[in-house]
Amino acid sequence: MSRLGRFGTRVSRLGRRVSGLRDEAEREQERRLREADERGGAGVTGARASAGGPGGSGAPPSAPAAVAPAAAAATPATAVGDGPDGGGGGGDVRPPVPAGPAPGRPPAAEAIPWGVRVAAEAGWRLLVIAGVVWVLMQVVSAVSLLVVSFAAGLLITALLQPFVGWLKRMGFSRGAATAVTAFGGFAVMGLIGWFVVWQIIENTDNLVEQVRDGIEQLQDWVTQLPFDITEDNLDEWVENLNDWISSHSSELTSAGLEGVNYAVEFFTGAGITLFVVLFLLYDGAGVWGWFLRLVPRAARDGVAGAGPRAWITLTGYVRGTVLVALIDAIGIGVGLLVIDVPMAVPLAVIVFLSSFVPLVGAIASGALAVLVAVVTNGVVDALLVLGVVLLVQQIEGHILQPFILGRMVRVHPLAVVLGVAAGSMLAGIPGAVVAVPLIAVTSTVVSYLRAYQEEVDRRAGRETLTGGATIAEVSPSPPAPGGDG
């Protein structure tokens, strides 16, 4: 055989071997595709690309054509070519990197400690509430005269409402009963204020003389103390005080001008309060119905039930406070008259007015009565006045308030002190007067709405929620009863 024949024979054998390898690779590819179809369609396009071998032939027509999506989910073992054993010489196809956390690591939200997550959720909710409260405070401060006038109108209406009903039963029409009650009530309050001012003006000369004598007695008493205090020191202090008054005369004058502005605001507020009282006494039910139409329908039933209870609490508080203040004023006034303290009647009226500020008002009015007694009558009469004030306040705190006000409008002393302090810081004396009834009404409304919602949930067969939905979803599961401890 010639060399050309032997070369042709070798080429023929090599062709048959390559053809056999290609057929074997195609059969292996078909087997893998069938297995991938049986497992749910896990494709191996990398194996198909390398099945052609040296001959460069592609996949047979019978192989599935749409296997590219399945190849993206292939494992590293099936995404690489067959290599020398499979006859493939294709490149290395790497699987895509997953977008989630690395294997073995929890999600970022679950990696945060439980206490930090609770504190964060409570924190942003508190920030939202604080922002809302701040905005409301800015709005209220901008219209403080209107807010104070409306609050005063509510309190006066709660006090005068029984007189409207009494006049109606006497035969008055609704309009006449409202007008007589409103204007009569404001006239009485104006007469009380005029009487206090008149008594102070009438007793000013006598009071100034007695104050001067009391200061001289106090000066003699101070000089007798075992301290290095002489009359020269006292004269120097008095002279310094006079110099301060002279140097600050402009400020005192501006304060007087501001007093005129305060008087104008007072009469403006009084006019607004009068109109509020007139409309509430005449058509309070209509005003309440109009307000209910502004409430969302889902919450209207609850608010409609809470409103009358809030009004009962407010009227009970105002009428009870007026009665208690009247008894305090009569008791302390009689004691001052018996001890012969000057301006006993004006001091009794001041006690009556200051009693509308719980705790703080009683202490301030009692201290004023004791101060007038020690300046005018001496230490002995001042101690007697102090005993009278303490006795009346003890009777008020332990007998009058529990009996007259009752449990419905009882507020804890700590809440009273904090409420009065906050009210006085925000709105001065009007804020201190309104603070305690506002706390009592709020407590009544919240208690009723909570009981109302619990009853609605009970009738609907729902469990009462005790926490926020976001926290409940990720809260730790409690240990199973009897489990490993």
Side-chain angles (χ1 to χ4, degrees):
M1 183 180 294
S2 63
R3 292 182 179 180
L4 183 60
R6 289 196 298 271
F7 178 75
T9 302
R10 291 178 181 178
V11 170
S12 177
R13 290 178 182 175
L14 180 61
R16 287 195 299 270
R17 182 175 295 180
V18 171
S19 177
L21 292 174
R22 185 183 60 186
D23 294 341
E24 184 180 354
E26 290 177 355
R27 288 193 297 270
E28 180 67 17
Q29 177 65 15
E30 291 178 359
R31 183 183 63 80
R32 291 189 179 186
L33 289 175
R34 285 195 300 271
E35 291 179 356
D37 291 338
E38 293 175 357
R39 290 194 304 265
V44 283
T45 56
R48 290 185 57 199
S50 62
S57 176
S62 60
V67 294
T75 61
T78 60
V80 182
D82 293 336
D85 296 336
D92 187 7
V93 180
R94 300 182 181 275
V97 179
R105 293 185 181 179
E110 295 182 2
I112 301 175
W114 168 248
V116 176
R117 300 173 71 180
V118 174
E121 294 206 13
W124 72 259
R125 286 176 170 86
L126 291 177
L127 287 176
V128 172
I129 294 174
V132 172
V133 171
W134 184 83
V135 172
L136 289 178
M137 289 176 60
Q138 298 302 314
V139 173
V140 170
S141 63
V143 292
S144 59
L145 180 61
L146 182 62
V147 173
V148 171
S149 301
F150 182 75
L154 280 178
L155 297 178
I156 296 174
T157 303
L159 178 63
L160 298 180
Q161 191 180 30
F163 294 98
V164 176
W166 178 72
L167 290 177
K168 286 181 180 180
R169 290 191 295 270
M170 295 292 294
F172 285 76
S173 63
R174 184 171 67 172
T178 300
V180 170
T181 301
F183 288 105
F186 274 81
V188 170
M189 289 184 288
L191 288 174
I192 292 175
W194 171 82
F195 176 75
V196 172
V197 174
W198 173 66
Q199 285 291 315
I200 293 176
I201 294 175
E202 285 292 323
N203 293 273
T204 298
D205 296 336
N206 185 26
L207 181 62
V208 168
E209 183 179 355
Q210 291 178 345
V211 167
R212 186 182 298 111
D213 295 338
I215 292 175
E216 292 178 357
Q217 295 176 4
L218 180 62
Q219 182 177 350
D220 296 337
W221 178 74
V222 170
T223 56
Q224 295 176 1
L225 292 175
F227 301 105
D228 190 14
I229 300 177
T230 61
E231 293 185 2
D232 295 336
N233 299 130
L234 296 177
D235 294 338
E236 183 180 358
W237 294 343
V238 173
E239 184 178 356
N240 293 334
L241 179 61
N242 293 329
D243 294 339
W244 182 87
I245 293 174
S246 299
S247 61
H248 292 77
S249 58
S250 59
E251 286 82 353
L252 296 177
T253 304
S254 62
L257 295 177
E258 290 181 0
V260 176
N261 295 331
Y262 291 151
V264 173
E265 290 184 0
F266 172 79
F267 286 109
T268 303
I272 297 175
T273 303
L274 176 59
F275 277 101
V276 171
V277 172
L278 283 172
F279 282 105
L280 291 181
L281 289 177
Y282 183 78
D283 192 21
V287 173
W288 175 243
W290 172 82
F291 174 76
L292 284 179
R293 287 196 293 270
L294 302 178
V295 179
R297 184 178 300 273
R300 191 172 298 171
D301 293 338
V303 175
R309 288 165 175 80
W311 183 249
I312 292 173
T313 300
L314 182 62
T315 54
Y317 176 85
V318 173
R319 297 168 192 172
T321 301
V322 169
L323 185 57
V324 171
L326 183 62
I327 296 175
D328 287 349
I330 293 175
I332 294 178
V334 170
L336 295 176
L337 288 174
V338 171
I339 301 173
D340 196 17
V341 176
M343 297 193 307
V345 177
L347 287 174
V349 176
I350 292 174
V351 169
F352 172 78
L353 296 177
S354 61
S355 296
F356 287 92
V357 182
L359 295 180
V360 179
I363 295 174
S365 60
L368 179 62
V370 173
L371 179 62
V372 172
V374 73
V375 170
T376 58
N377 291 16
V379 178
V380 177
D381 288 349
L383 293 176
L384 293 176
V385 172
L386 179 61
V388 171
V389 171
L390 293 178
L391 177 61
V392 172
Q393 290 182 357
Q394 290 298 316
I395 294 174
E396 170 199 341
H398 294 85
I399 298 177
L400 296 180
Q401 285 190 355
F403 179 74
I404 296 175
L405 294 179
R407 296 181 177 273
M408 183 178 59
V409 293
R410 181 176 297 177
V411 181
H412 196 276
L414 179 60
V416 171
V417 173
L418 296 178
V420 170
S424 61
M425 287 188 292
L426 294 175
I429 295 178
V433 173
V434 175
V436 177
L438 179 61
I439 293 174
V441 169
T442 303
S443 177
T444 300
V445 171
V446 171
S447 299
Y448 174 79
L449 292 179
R450 182 172 59 247
Y452 175 82
Q453 187 61 42
E454 291 177 355
E455 180 65 19
V456 170
D457 293 339
R458 186 187 64 82
R459 292 182 179 181
R462 297 192 300 264
E463 294 184 359
T464 303
L465 297 177
T466 58
T470 307
I471 295 297
E473 292 174 357
V474 296
S475 58
S477 302
D484 296 336

